[in-house]
Amino acid sequence: MARRAFLMSCLKGEGSSRDLSPRPRYPSMPRYPKGVAAVAAIGCGNDVEAPPEDQRTAMFSVIGMTCSACAGSVEKAIKRLPGIQNAAVDVLNNRAQVIFYPNFVSEDQIRETIEDVGFEAALIQEDSKEPSTLTCRLHIKGMTCTTCSNTVESALQSVLGVRKAIVALATEEAEIRYDPKLVSADQLMKEVDETGFEAILITTGVDRNKIQLKIEGVRTERSMRIVESSLQALPGIEEVDIDPILYKVSVSYKPDQTGPRNFIEVIQSTGSGRFLATIYPEGGGRESHKREEIRQYYQSFLWSLLFTIPVFLTSMVFMYIPGVNHALDTKVVNMLTIGELLRWILSTPVQFIIGRRFYIGSYKALRHGSANMDVLIALGTNTAYFYSLYSVVRAATSPNFESTDFFETSSMLISFILLGKYLEILAKGKTSEAIAKLMDLAPETAILLTHDESGNLLGESEIDSRLIQKNDVIKVVPGAKVACDGFVIWGQSHVNESMITGEARPVAKRKGDSVIGGTVNENGVLHVRATHVGSESALSQIVRLVESAQMAKAPVQKSADRISQYFVPLVITLSLLTWLVWFLSGKYNGYPKSWIPSSMDSFQLALQFGISVMVIACPCALGLATPTAVMVGTGVGASQGVLIKGGKALESAHKVNCIVFDKTGTLTTGKPVVVSTRLLKNIALHEFYECVAAAEVNSEHPLAKAIVEHAKKFKEEENYTWPEARDFVSITGHGVKAMIGNKELIVGNKSLMLDSGIQITDQALELLMEAEEMAQTGILVAINHDILGVIAISDPLKPAAQDVISILKSMNVRSIMVTGDNWGTAKAIAKEVGIDTIVAEATPEEKAVKVKELQMSGLTVAMVGDGINDSPALISADVGMAIGAGTDIAIEAADIVLMKSNLDDVITAIDLSRKTFSRIRMNYIWALGYNIIGIPIAAGALFPSTRFRLPPWIAGAAMAASSVSVVLWSLLLKNYKRPKKLDALHIRGIMVE
């Protein structure tokens, strides 16, 4: 993928002046020693450096470092060596990872350099082809509030080899970035289990395809071993895992070399026809866990209701019905009545069987020195139950003690909390509908075409879409979904890509065009050759991006987590104080006896107040306020073609008051075309372009492509072979040089000509200025040190770019253009779109510096770009927005990806983030305000003046309702609509290919 990303990045450049300035040293880009860059550039055939194939990675243990200064000195010493691409020193783990080129430096030289600095060094690992970090995802069962998620997160963070761990309460999942050399996914699951929660593996993060097959007809272990051996012998097989009980085979493989159909054929041929292999039926995944959890809470609630309704009736209703109340008041033993005995019997299974989940949760939390919602519920219900039990036992053993029980309090409290959790999980499930909808886009079946060696069609068959392998040819009929990523080899049609990109307008497809899996073919038949299947597909990558976004915590959530950390102990303290104050007040006549209800004494009244305080205050709503809104916001964004990478990006985007725009491919289409050619010497135009194209065909720069495409118009042959260009050299940021026959050709900007000692005539300068005034790029062509002509290239503006800048001004967002293009072209484009502030002829480093200057002035800055040379600025900005048609590295560096490549989505992203954070603020006001108002009422603040008190079971119902209401308030974001101003623009989507 890194290689593919880099090669794709070669397709992008910036500006007229061949904005191919020296590449910055930042994490996404390699740094080469002198000599490598030139070789790489020539080998790649363009202006952008390609990585040498012999790059290697070595890991060293470094003993003796005590602080970051030590690590810095080691890192600096290593980077001074020739052939070092990158070096990172971890002072905590006493390790140094070095990426280098063995043609220039060896492991021994690196080790000796570290020792020269004054530390002991030893080579641990070299030439690692494995990724240094993986991302593991776990489903975690049993979490109830932020205290639980914080406990799990802290435990995972403390594991050696874990780089970062995020535990999301809303999704009940953990995302862990870890070093596979130091810790495994199984160890991470064990760590979660030790905290008292159950961990279920979703993915280990290994970037490989995996499929599960069910085998029928196998009877013995020997047969299973034969199947395993047969599969392992296939090329491209990485791992085979067999479950002999379920007859399930899990195969991890390289899709370039093999695929699931090969596995099925091998298994069935191994058993001489006795074995039958099929794809294992879907039974795992997060959805099945969610459904199971919903089912469990629903059943628990129904069983609880079955016992609780009679308890409620005997304590609250039947006592007012003549005859029935007399029967219930009949004494069984001493002062123990039938009603009390029934309530005891009925509430006991609710307390200890149905409510056992709260005991388990409390034990797990207290064992790790924390307190969560389960602790509050267990304390509240146990207090009510065991006080009632004490009353019952005392009534049964005393001839004159009149008992009052609270069995209805404990049973009704558990019932209402179970109902609240059931409704909360249902609501939370809807917050992640975006992922479910994305995953459902993939069709279940596909039509596979088979061809003979000559390419003649032999037949077609319908197969499970999961059986598609790389290079398969798939037939897509009108109305059907495209089953995989690929390119059209036959046919033409229009494809609706709105479900992936958010772009409503169908896109025309013909031979050679790429298609995305999950999109819908509207008319015509297409034959598509599969290029990316399984986890490599665009749909899978988008799903992973949205999943990670929904896991990422917004910075504002840290405040809520800190509050939740102290919330439960504070509530328990307040509950005890409430009970103590009311009890002592009653005992020492602090209030009139007439305040005490006839059915209880002062102790029981104080106890009810204390229990109510304990159960009404719950940190659940507080913990769900941010993640549920972020989940819905990122899901809505994905459906609009705006991929937002998590809560941090959302939080920063809503504060943006300044946007820095790149020009080429951002404000403009990024597909330059030749608009005019002015010759200064007597030469035929077709000869002129044959010479220029012979050199430019070696470059992948957009301007070079435009020149070559224009030159083809002078040739009748479709695949014309241009003359050979010898001694081709690309001068980064300036142009190219080459020998065409016996002529020395130089094509580039003014500075390249001057550096080459070529005198630029007044006529040529006038033509350059003319082009710049018309927002065109002027390219000079010199043969044998004489200026031969000027080529004017134009990159048209994207539709409605001017309107978008105008709308941003109305939103009080300042717009700035920073480009590598020349000043004349930059000014012309800026004037056309309405941007006042311009920075032109900027290198990638200068773009990042400009962003930092704006930040230093107090602005919250967003950067919108598409090229590899925008990546430093995208990283430096508070919010980086990458155009979806841009390079992989730019997209990777950005916080927000605009899939439709439309500028109006910049406004959509900012508006959506503002709406989302408005919901988050309201959620916090609701959650905190609820507790601020509810706790005093539960504590009896209104009782002296109004005699109003909040029974514990009503307090429990209110507590459950608070969490549900917060989630429902977040779900209202699903009704989000783009600003009406954008609907009036009728902007057409532009895809740059």
Side-chain angles (χ1 to χ4, degrees):
M1 285 297 292
R3 175 71 174 168
R4 177 173 163 260
F6 196 93
L7 289 175
M8 285 186 67
S9 73
C10 294
L11 299 177
K12 286 289 170 186
E14 171 93 45
S16 66
S17 322
R18 299 294 192 129
D19 184 15
L20 299 174
S21 44
R23 300 305 181 195
R25 297 180 185 177
Y26 60 97
S28 297
M29 285 293 297
R31 175 168 68 94
Y32 307 117
K34 290 181 180 179
V36 176
V39 175
I42 293 168
C44 195
N46 52 46
D47 316 29
V48 182
E49 298 167 4
E53 295 297 331
D54 58 353
Q55 174 184 299
R56 301 173 77 176
T57 301
M59 186 76 74
F60 297 87
S61 69
V62 183
I63 307 300
M65 295 188 298
T66 56
C67 63
S68 57
C70 300
S73 62
V74 171
E75 191 172 312
K76 192 180 293 184
I78 295 172
K79 285 181 175 179
R80 284 199 191 106
L81 291 170
I84 299 295
Q85 181 211 334
N86 203 357
V89 180
D90 182 358
V91 69
L92 295 177
N93 294 312
N94 295 314
R95 297 162 79 94
Q97 186 183 58
V98 185
I99 303 172
F100 65 102
Y101 304 101
N103 290 340
F104 296 85
V105 67
S106 67
E107 294 91 344
D108 287 338
Q109 286 174 299
I110 297 170
R111 179 180 53 77
E112 288 169 5
T113 299
I114 297 172
E115 290 175 349
D116 289 341
V117 181
F119 302 98
E120 275 185 56
L123 181 66
I124 299 175
Q125 187 169 355
E126 60 179 316
D127 199 18
S128 175
K129 301 291 183 185
E130 304 260 334
S132 58
T133 57
L134 296 176
T135 302
C136 170
R137 296 179 72 88
L138 304 175
H139 175 76
I140 299 176
K141 296 176 69 175
M143 296 191 298
T144 56
C145 64
T146 50
T147 306
C148 302
S149 58
N150 289 340
T151 300
V152 177
E153 195 171 288
S154 299
L156 289 169
Q157 289 278 24
S158 64
V159 176
L160 180 66
V162 171
R163 301 284 181 255
K164 186 178 182 182
I166 302 172
V167 179
L169 174 65
T171 57
E172 295 181 334
E173 289 184 8
E175 184 177 272
I176 309 118
R177 285 184 59 207
Y178 69 102
D179 186 343
K181 305 179 198 73
L182 301 176
V183 66
S184 67
D186 289 338
Q187 288 172 299
L188 295 173
M189 292 172 65
K190 186 178 178 182
E191 187 65 31
V192 174
D193 292 339
E194 287 178 358
T195 61
F197 301 94
E198 184 182 351
I200 300 168
L201 183 67
I202 297 174
T203 174
T204 60
V206 179
D207 189 17
R208 60 189 177 194
N209 282 266
K210 189 172 187 177
I211 194 164
Q212 295 179 332
L213 303 173
K214 184 175 180 64
I215 305 179
E216 297 176 13
V218 175
R219 296 286 179 268
T220 63
E221 281 189 28
R222 182 174 177 274
S223 298
M224 290 296 281
R225 284 197 300 271
I226 292 172
V227 168
E228 183 178 5
S229 301
S230 301
L231 289 171
Q232 286 176 335
L234 287 173
I237 295 293
E238 294 187 336
E239 187 179 346
V240 179
D241 184 29
I242 290 188
D243 186 335
I245 299 172
L246 298 176
Y247 297 104
K248 180 170 71 174
V249 180
S250 299
V251 186
S252 299
Y253 62 97
K254 296 177 181 176
D256 290 338
Q257 300 180 31
T258 188
R261 291 203 311 280
N262 299 131
F263 310 151
I264 291 173
E265 289 172 10
V266 165
I267 291 170
Q268 294 182 168
S269 63
T270 299
S272 302
R274 289 185 297 109
F275 300 160
L276 178 65
T278 55
I279 292 180
Y280 200 83
E282 295 286 349
R286 59 173 57 79
E287 288 306 311
S288 63
H289 300 316
K290 187 67 69 181
R291 286 194 297 269
E292 176 63 21
E293 193 173 18
I294 290 171
R295 186 189 65 80
Q296 287 178 1
Y297 271 110
Y298 180 66
Q299 288 186 346
S300 296
F301 170 66
L302 288 181
W303 278 107
S304 177
L305 212 58
L306 182 67
F307 290 100
T308 300
I309 289 174
V311 173
F312 171 76
L313 293 173
T314 57
S315 61
M316 302 285 186
V317 180
F318 292 162
M319 60 187 294
Y320 299 108
I321 301 175
V324 178
N325 64 346
H326 178 72
L328 292 174
D329 287 339
T330 303
K331 306 293 188 293
V332 179
V333 179
N334 287 330
M335 298 299 289
L336 177 64
T337 65
I338 290 176
E340 290 171 339
L341 185 62
L342 282 173
R343 287 192 289 275
W344 178 29
I345 292 169
L346 290 169
S347 64
T348 299
V350 177
Q351 182 69 38
F352 297 108
I353 299 175
I354 298 168
R356 71 183 181 277
R357 67 175 67 241
F358 303 118
Y359 287 99
I360 295 168
S362 301
Y363 168 73
K364 291 173 180 176
L366 294 172
R367 194 180 70 176
H368 290 88
S370 61
N372 61 4
M373 184 198 80
D374 290 330
V375 174
L376 293 179
I377 295 169
L379 280 174
T381 55
N382 275 309
T383 303
Y385 179 86
F386 283 106
Y387 175 79
S388 302
L389 181 60
Y390 160 76
S391 297
V392 165
V393 172
R394 188 169 176 188
T397 57
S398 171
N400 53 14
F401 177 78
E402 292 187 9
S403 66
T404 301
D405 65 85
F406 298 141
F407 285 122
E408 81 285 350
T409 295
S410 64
S411 57
M412 290 176 71
L413 188 55
I414 287 173
S415 297
F416 274 111
I417 288 166
L418 288 173
L419 174 62
K421 290 299 290 182
Y422 169 67
L423 294 174
E424 181 187 315
I425 290 169
L426 277 180
K428 281 186 342 189
K430 294 186 180 297
T431 62
S432 57
E433 278 184 352
I435 290 178
K437 286 179 180 177
L438 282 170
M439 296 177 80
D440 288 341
L441 289 178
E444 292 183 0
T445 60
I447 300 173
L448 176 68
L449 300 179
T450 52
H451 298 81
D452 60 19
E453 293 179 359
S454 303
N456 300 314
L457 181 65
L458 296 178
E460 60 182 53
S461 58
E462 189 173 61
I463 62 168
D464 190 306
S465 61
R466 290 170 293 178
L467 293 176
I468 297 174
Q469 298 179 189
K470 197 166 184 180
N471 294 321
D472 280 347
V473 177
I474 304 299
K475 179 181 178 181
V476 188
V477 298
K481 289 182 178 179
V482 180
C484 60
D485 292 1
F487 62 91
V488 178
I489 62 170
W490 181 87
Q492 59 183 23
S493 180
H494 283 79
V495 176
N496 186 340
E497 298 182 340
S498 61
M499 59 286 299
I500 300 294
T501 66
E503 174 53 60
R505 186 175 61 89
V507 181
K509 300 291 181 182
R510 57 181 58 85
K511 184 178 179 180
D513 290 341
S514 60
V515 291
I516 307 170
T519 55
V520 178
N521 181 26
E522 294 202 337
N523 50 32
V525 178
L526 296 176
H527 290 183
V528 176
R529 187 173 297 282
T531 55
H532 297 92
V533 296
S535 62
E536 294 181 344
S537 68
L539 182 59
S540 295
Q541 291 177 28
I542 291 172
V543 168
R544 284 199 296 272
L545 191 151
V546 176
E547 284 176 341
S548 295
Q550 294 189 339
M551 287 290 299
K553 292 183 179 179
V556 71
Q557 193 175 338
K558 293 177 182 177
S559 302
D561 290 346
R562 280 195 294 271
I563 293 170
S564 299
Q565 188 177 352
Y566 303 104
F567 197 82
V568 174
L570 179 64
V571 167
I572 294 171
T573 305
L574 287 174
S575 176
L576 291 172
L577 284 173
T578 300
W579 170 79
L580 190 62
V581 168
W582 279 103
F583 173 66
L584 293 176
S585 298
K587 186 173 182 180
Y588 295 105
N589 301 315
Y591 57 84
K593 296 292 183 186
S594 60
W595 287 13
I596 304 173
S598 58
S599 60
M600 60 180 68
D601 55 25
S602 61
F603 175 83
Q604 294 165 340
L605 179 66
L607 190 65
Q608 278 215 346
F609 282 131
I611 294 172
S612 295
V613 169
M614 191 173 293
V615 297
I616 199 170
C618 175
C620 283
L622 201 61
L624 292 170
T626 299
T628 52
V630 169
M631 285 177 70
V632 179
T634 52
V636 168
S639 68
Q640 299 266 354
V642 179
L643 296 181
I644 303 170
K645 298 182 182 179
K648 186 177 179 183
L650 265 176
E651 182 168 345
S652 299
H654 93 280
K655 302 174 186 174
V656 166
N657 49 23
C658 176
I659 298 184
V660 176
F661 287 97
D662 168 45
K663 182 182 75 69
T664 307
T666 303
L667 290 172
T668 64
T669 63
K671 295 186 78 172
V673 291
V674 174
V675 291
S676 69
T677 309
R678 300 292 293 275
L679 299 178
L680 305 179
K681 302 284 183 182
N682 290 319
I683 183 174
L685 195 60
H686 70 91
E687 291 179 10
F688 171 83
Y689 268 107
E690 179 165 358
C691 203
V692 175
E696 293 287 22
V697 76
N698 296 298
S699 174
E700 289 289 347
H701 192 280
L703 298 182
K705 281 189 167 185
I707 292 172
V708 173
E709 285 302 312
H710 188 72
K712 287 179 181 178
K713 295 177 183 178
F714 300 97
K715 301 298 176 185
E716 293 181 2
E717 300 93 329
E718 186 175 340
N719 297 314
Y720 180 77
T721 303
W722 303 103
E724 182 186 358
R726 294 176 287 107
D727 302 327
F728 174 83
V729 178
S730 173
I731 298 91
T732 303
H734 298 284
V736 297
K737 294 181 180 181
M739 291 295 296
I740 310 296
N742 59 352
K743 300 172 185 175
E744 183 186 0
L745 178 74
I746 300 176
V747 183
N749 59 15
K750 185 166 61 175
S751 61
L752 177 61
M753 300 299 163
L754 294 174
D755 290 343
S756 303
I758 299 172
Q759 185 177 0
I760 304 174
T761 63
D762 292 341
Q763 189 181 0
L765 288 171
E766 284 176 15
L767 290 173
L768 284 177
M769 289 178 65
E770 236 177 78
E772 289 174 4
E773 286 171 4
M774 298 173 66
Q776 297 169 357
T777 297
I779 300 292
L780 294 167
V781 179
I783 292 181
N784 294 331
H785 282 67
D786 276 337
I787 300 291
L788 201 63
V790 179
I791 301 172
I793 299 177
S794 174
D795 186 7
L797 275 179
K798 285 187 175 178
Q802 184 177 359
D803 294 319
V804 169
I805 300 300
S806 176
I807 293 172
L808 287 171
K809 283 182 182 177
S810 70
M811 296 169 67
N812 295 319
V813 178
R814 179 184 173 191
S815 297
I816 294 172
M817 186 173 77
V818 179
T819 177
D821 212 336
N822 62 72
W823 278 99
T825 305
K827 285 177 181 177
I829 291 289
K831 184 179 179 181
E832 195 172 345
V833 298
I835 292 177
D836 300 322
T837 308
I838 316 159
V839 177
E841 299 179 7
T843 63
E845 296 97 324
E846 288 167 349
K847 289 183 180 183
V849 168
K850 181 60 181 177
V851 167
K852 288 174 183 174
E853 285 176 3
L854 292 167
Q855 290 170 328
M856 291 291 286
S857 67
L859 296 171
T860 302
V861 182
M863 169 70 192
V864 185
D866 73 321
I868 191 171
N869 44 13
D870 297 323
S871 297
L874 288 169
I875 293 169
S876 300
D878 296 288
V879 181
M881 297 187 188
I883 298 297
T887 63
D888 285 8
I889 291 177
I891 290 171
E892 182 186 341
D895 303 300
I896 297 175
V897 181
L898 311 178
M899 293 291 290
K900 289 183 286 185
S901 299
N902 281 345
L903 284 179
D904 63 327
D905 285 335
V906 172
I907 297 169
T908 302
I910 294 173
D911 184 66
L912 176 59
S913 68
R914 290 179 178 179
K915 293 281 193 338
T916 302
F917 262 77
S918 173
R919 288 296 155 89
I920 290 173
R921 278 193 290 268
M922 287 303 298
N923 280 348
Y924 279 129
I925 290 170
W926 177 256
L928 289 170
Y930 176 88
N931 283 304
I932 290 168
I933 295 169
I935 290 175
I937 294 174
L942 300 179
F943 188 70
S945 58
T946 64
R947 302 295 181 276
F948 176 79
R949 60 190 175 87
L950 206 63
W953 61 274
I954 294 180
M959 179 270 287
S962 69
S963 297
V964 176
S965 58
V966 163
V967 178
L968 291 176
W969 184 249
S970 294
L971 280 173
L972 289 176
L973 267 174
K974 293 178 75 174
N975 301 321
Y976 170 81
K977 302 292 182 187
R978 297 192 329 158
K980 289 183 180 178
K981 292 178 182 178
L982 295 182
D983 295 332
L985 296 181
H986 300 292
I987 297 178
R988 289 190 305 111
I990 295 177
M991 294 299 292
V992 182
E993 295 175 12

